[in-house]
Amino acid sequence: MLTKISKGSDGNRDAKFNIDLQHTAQACPEAKTIKLADIIDNSRNIAELDPKFAATYLIEKQRQLSVLWQGDGSLYLMAEACILKGLADADIG
């Protein structure tokens, strides 16, 4: 349910992200909970480790939250906080 389904021929990064986002929106709440935990793990220090990529990644993750609200509520809030902190640390948000 969380595997990216977009292909290289589907367009640029944003086009592929939108395809995968729609796929993630259809996932069950349990899969969305796993995705939230993944976002937390990957967002905690991305601004420090890779500030250039952090801008792209964190904005995508912020967009992704819009389809993950059915996952665990406390993890949703933690993911949101990690994203916002990363954006602030990278001076993006």
Side-chain angles (χ1 to χ4, degrees), residues 17 21 35-36 39-40 43 46 54-69 76 79-88 92-93:
F17 177 83
L21 184 66
K35 186 60 185 172
L36 289 166
I39 289 171
I40 293 165
S43 298
I46 193 164
T56 300
Y57 178 82
L58 292 167
I59 290 168
E60 287 177 349
K61 296 306 120 182
Q62 195 171 42
R63 288 179 56 203
Q64 201 168 45
L65 284 180
S66 69
V67 301
L68 297 175
W69 58 270
Y76 182 94
E80 184 177 50
C82 284
I83 292 166
L84 292 174
K85 181 182 182 318
L87 290 169
I92 300 164

Side-chain angles (χ1 to χ4, degrees), residues 11 22-23 30 38 63 87 92:
Q22 292 307 312
H23 179 67
E30 293 81 6
D38 183 58
R63 288 179 56 203
L87 290 169
I92 300 164

Side-chain angles (χ1 to χ4, degrees), residues 6-81:
S6 63
K7 301 177 221 66
S9 60
D10 287 331
N12 64 20
R13 182 180 180 93
D14 193 51
K16 290 184 278 191
F17 177 83
N18 287 328
I19 291 167
D20 295 329
L21 184 66
Q22 292 307 312
H23 179 67
T24 301
Q26 304 305 312
C28 69
E30 293 81 6
K32 291 178 181 184
T33 295
I34 292 168
K35 186 60 185 172
L36 289 166
D38 183 58
I39 289 171
I40 293 165
D41 186 52
N42 293 331
S43 298
R44 285 190 175 166
N45 58 358
I46 193 164
E48 176 186 327
L49 296 175
D50 193 348
K52 276 188 165 183
F53 181 64
T56 300
Y57 178 82
L58 292 167
I59 290 168
E60 287 177 349
K61 296 306 120 182
Q62 195 171 42
R63 288 179 56 203
Q64 201 168 45
L65 284 180
S66 69
V67 301
L68 297 175
W69 58 270
Q70 293 170 312
D72 181 84
S74 62
L75 289 181
Y76 182 94
L77 293 174
M78 287 175 65
E80 184 177 50

